[in-house]
Amino acid sequence: MSKDFVARSLILSQYRHRKTILMHFLRKLFYTTSYLLLADNLTSLAAKHISVSTVLSTFGVTAAAFCTKVSNADNISANSIMDSGEFKYESGKSSVAFVTAPDEKIAKKLAHGLVEQKLAACINIIPNIQSIYMWEGKVNEDNEYLMMIKTQTTHVEELTKWVRDNHPYSVAEVITLPIEKGNLPYMKWLAESVPEKK
């Protein structure tokens, strides 16, 4: 066999392998998109009290098979589709608060305190962010740690006060944004972890 023949065979083999991987990816993408679009339509039909099983049967799909496909497609819980009446998230009930800290030790101390006080369900600490800001008439640049805090909106005021009382900065950054939508099981867990204040 000539070297050219071996080289061409190797290139052709690699091409076929890449083509197979691409086709597999595109097939999964198509199925995932199809099931997600169908799931979205079923959720709106369920809100109109139309039986999900009735709608699925028109497509020749059982409810169990549909839920398995959707769950496998994008890790969507079958319960959140079929039992959407169990927990409904109301836009803005939960919030994300952003707080900066000068170092990891202080960020962790604040995070533990907020979770222990049941003022936050979960806090992500993002290291080494660059902050450029105006302070006392001068532009400053510092490395800081950003805390991304998930809580109930009714706790924002108390959370802000707690951070002010326990933060080393004289003017601590606490800014919040309401959560419009989210993964229903996660939003339910958040609500249970930080019970809403009455």
Side-chain angles (χ1 to χ4, degrees):
M1 276 193 223
S2 72
K3 288 182 182 178
D4 284 346
F5 177 77
V6 172
R8 272 190 243 127
S9 297
L10 183 60
I11 290 168
L12 186 59
S13 172
Q14 288 174 344
Y15 169 76
R16 285 183 182 144
H17 179 69
R18 287 184 181 143
K19 184 179 173 187
T20 303
I21 290 172
L22 178 62
M23 291 305 294
H24 181 70
F25 168 76
L26 290 174
R27 191 177 303 116
K28 285 193 101 169
L29 180 64
F30 171 77
Y31 286 134
T32 302
T33 306
S34 299
Y35 282 111
L36 290 175
L37 288 171
L38 185 55
D40 187 45
N41 289 331
L42 289 175
T43 307
S44 63
L45 288 172
K48 295 175 184 171
H49 305 294
I50 297 171
S51 166
V52 170
S53 299
T54 304
V55 175
L56 285 173
S57 65
T58 63
F59 293 102
V61 180
T62 66
F66 172 74
C67 288
T68 302
K69 286 278 192 183
V70 171
S71 181
N72 291 341
D74 200 26
N75 294 326
I76 295 174
S77 165
N79 292 337
S80 70
I81 294 167
M82 303 309 278
D83 298 328
S84 60
E86 190 177 308
F87 176 79
K88 297 216 186 265
Y89 177 71
E90 187 182 317
S91 179
K93 280 229 171 208
S94 298
S95 289
V96 178
F98 297 99
V99 175
T100 52
D103 59 44
E104 184 180 14
K105 184 178 176 183
I106 290 169
K108 283 186 175 181
K109 182 182 171 191
L110 292 168
H112 279 275
L114 287 165
V115 172
E116 287 164 7
Q117 294 293 316
K118 297 221 177 276
L119 294 172
C122 173
I123 301 173
N124 306 109
I125 299 173
I126 304 164
N128 301 323
I129 62 162
Q130 292 285 312
S131 296
I132 300 169
Y133 57 96
M134 184 69 73
W135 183 251
E136 296 178 343
K138 288 173 27 180
V139 176
N140 291 270
E141 186 172 330
D142 288 312
N143 283 329
E144 292 185 296
Y145 283 71
L146 177 65
M147 300 164 58
M148 194 168 76
I149 305 164
K150 276 74 79 184
T151 189
Q152 294 284 49
T153 302
T154 56
H155 287 284
V156 166
E157 197 173 311
E158 190 179 350
L159 181 147
T160 302
K161 183 183 181 324
W162 192 93
V163 169
R164 267 198 324 261
D165 293 345
N166 292 277
H167 204 290
Y169 291 167
S170 59
V171 179
E173 174 186 345
V174 184
I175 55 174
T176 62
L177 298 168
I179 299 172
E180 188 177 326
K181 292 180 183 177
N183 178 26
L184 279 183
Y186 183 86
M187 301 312 293
K188 182 179 180 189
W189 168 81
L190 196 161
E192 289 168 351
S193 300
V194 185
E196 195 173 2
K197 286 179 75 175
K198 302 296 178 192

